[in-house]
């Protein structure tokens, strides 16, 4: 089967956020190029998705891993999940801190009977695995927090910035995987949980996979990723499932976007916001959603 891949670096209502469109496209291009080569070499969809998410987490342009936004108390808490569609197995970490790649910890939990861990559980697992302590804070994110603190955190970071990252891949064996990672909404209440470590925001089966980005509460309220996959499983085409689901979300004034891929190799995406920073490889060439 011809491998397919789609990734995103977030969504929002400002195309010029995080340095503008072209720098974001260049970052996404580098990831697609490297990860699609893995798929061509026969790597599994889960390894490809984790690698894509690691590369995006390591790019301070995006709100995941290095460059994650701060919560209202000035701390960084990150969430990530992986869903292996072939086994329909979901794993994730919620509000993990002091590590470089939350997606790697989420992948590790694929082999555990306890597959979703909170902040304390994630810290214990990191100690067990001897995961190195890492500070993902950047000067830019700290400056944003200091400035917003003056206004008692009245801004909604999710509405303006490139944020949550994610990837969906189809490998040579027809296996689908989805992965999503985030630093959160930004300036939120301590302990707030995002959609990125829930099936609402990251879901895959043998039939289709979806990764979401945007306002997590809106994604959770729609149960969006799961909704799209279920509709495709029930016989709807991926495009029709995405279009219908976004029409419903738009009618309720939701603010988010999503990337999608099915077992036939069809690629789709949608948004209710102005911009979706995403790139894909359709088996022929690299394309972009902007």
């Amino acid at each position: 089967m011809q491998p397919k891949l789609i990734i995103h670096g977030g969504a929002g209502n400002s195309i010029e956020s995080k340095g503008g469109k072209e720098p974001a496209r260049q970052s996404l291009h580098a990831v697609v190029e490297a990860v699609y080569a893995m798929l061509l070499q026969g790597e599994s969809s889960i390894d490809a998705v984790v690698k894509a998410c690691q590369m995006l987490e390591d790019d301070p342009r995006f709100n995941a891993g290095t460059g994650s936004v701060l919560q209202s108390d000035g701390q960084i808490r990150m969430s990530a999940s992986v869903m292996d569609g072939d086994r329909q197995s979901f794993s994730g970490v919620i509000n993990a801190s002091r590590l470089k790649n939350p997606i790697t910890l989420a992948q590790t939990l694929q082999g555990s009977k306890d597959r979703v861990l909170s902040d304390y559980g994630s810290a214990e697992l990191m100690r067990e695995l001897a995961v190195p302590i890492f500070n993902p804070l950047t000067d830019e994110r700290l400056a944003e927090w200091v400035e917003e603190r003056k206004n008692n955190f009245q801004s909604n970071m999710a509405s303006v910035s490139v944020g949550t990252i994610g990837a969906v891949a189809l490998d040579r064996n027809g296996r689908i995987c989805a992965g999503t990672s985030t630093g959160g909404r930004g300036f939120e209440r301590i302990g707030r949980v995002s959609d990125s470590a829930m099936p609402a925001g990251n879901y895959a089966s043998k039939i289709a996979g979806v990764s979401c980005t945007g306002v997590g509460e809106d994604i959770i309220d729609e149960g969006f990723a799961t909704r799209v996959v279920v509709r495709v499983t029930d016989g709807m085409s991926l495009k029709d499932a995405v279009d219908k689901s976004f029409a419903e979300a738009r009618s309720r004034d939701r603010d988010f976007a999503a990337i999608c891929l099915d077992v036939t190799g069809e690629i789709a995406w949608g948004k209710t916001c102005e911009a979706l920073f995403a790139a894909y490889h359709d088996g022929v060439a690299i394309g972009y959603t902007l």
Side-chain angles (χ1 to χ4, degrees):
M1 180 172 287
Q2 182 71 38
K4 301 292 174 64
L5 173 70
I6 183 166
I7 68 171
H8 69 76
N13 292 317
S14 173
I15 291 179
E16 295 306 313
S17 62
K18 299 304 160 206
K21 178 171 68 174
E22 195 54 38
R25 279 168 55 111
Q26 291 173 6
S27 291
L28 294 169
H29 180 98
V31 175
V32 170
E33 193 171 51
V35 175
Y36 193 73
M38 292 175 56
L39 289 166
L40 287 177
Q41 292 166 6
E43 295 284 347
S44 68
S45 58
I46 189 169
D47 287 342
V49 161
V50 170
K51 179 62 175 178
C53 289
Q54 288 171 339
M55 292 179 72
L56 291 164
E57 287 175 337
D58 291 344
D59 188 333
R61 185 180 310 282
F62 304 113
N63 174 24
T66 302
S68 289
V69 295
L70 284 65
Q71 292 192 343
S72 58
D73 63 345
Q75 299 300 310
I76 292 175
R77 298 178 179 90
M78 301 167 286
S79 296
S81 67
V82 175
M83 188 154 189
D84 182 343
D86 188 56
R87 298 187 299 117
Q88 204 156 334
S89 172
F90 183 96
S91 59
V93 292
I94 296 172
N95 285 335
S97 59
R98 304 175 71 197
L99 76 163
K100 186 178 183 182
N101 295 115
I103 197 70
T104 306
L105 205 58
Q107 182 188 25
T108 300
L109 288 166
Q110 280 283 311
S112 171
K113 66 178 181 180
D114 303 311
R115 286 187 277 111
V116 181
L117 298 180
S118 67
D119 48 358
Y120 180 77
S122 299
E124 287 295 308
L125 180 61
M126 286 173 59
R127 278 190 280 271
E128 290 174 19
L129 298 175
V131 175
I133 298 299
F134 180 81
N135 182 6
L137 180 66
T138 63
D139 291 343
E140 181 181 5
R141 294 304 195 188
L142 179 59
E144 288 172 349
W145 182 84
V146 170
E147 187 63 28
E148 287 302 322
R149 188 182 182 190
K150 299 175 184 176
N151 300 317
N152 198 29
F153 308 115
Q154 294 302 305
S155 295
N156 180 7
M157 283 293 290
S159 70
V160 298
S161 67
V162 175
T164 301
I165 63 91
V168 187
L170 173 71
D171 64 25
R172 283 194 178 278
N173 295 309
R175 298 173 300 195
I176 296 173
C177 180
T180 308
S181 180
T182 188
R185 192 177 64 221
F187 318 140
E188 64 265 61
R189 182 186 294 272
I190 301 167
R192 177 257 184 186
V193 176
S194 79
D195 67 285
S196 297
M198 298 184 189
N202 187 76
Y203 195 76
S205 70
K206 291 179 182 289
I207 305 300
V210 179
S211 172
C212 299
T213 177
V215 177
E217 284 72 12
D218 287 356
I219 296 166
I220 293 166
D221 287 347
E222 293 293 318
F224 193 83
T226 307
R227 176 177 294 183
V228 171
V229 172
V230 168
R231 282 178 163 158
V232 177
T233 302
D234 287 346
M236 192 176 287
S237 73
L238 183 65
K239 183 182 185 304
D240 287 347
V242 170
D243 288 348
K244 181 176 177 62
S245 299
F246 268 105
E248 293 167 345
R250 201 170 290 111
S251 73
R252 290 185 277 266
D253 296 321
R254 307 301 195 190
D255 186 5
F256 65 89
I259 58 172
C260 315
L261 179 60
D262 75 7
V263 72
T264 71
E266 183 180 358
I267 293 172
W269 63 86
K271 58 187 175 68
T272 60
C273 50
E274 181 180 346
L276 167 61
F277 291 81
Y280 57 89
H281 202 302
D282 61 7
V284 178
I286 296 176
Y288 309 92
T289 60
L290 284 174

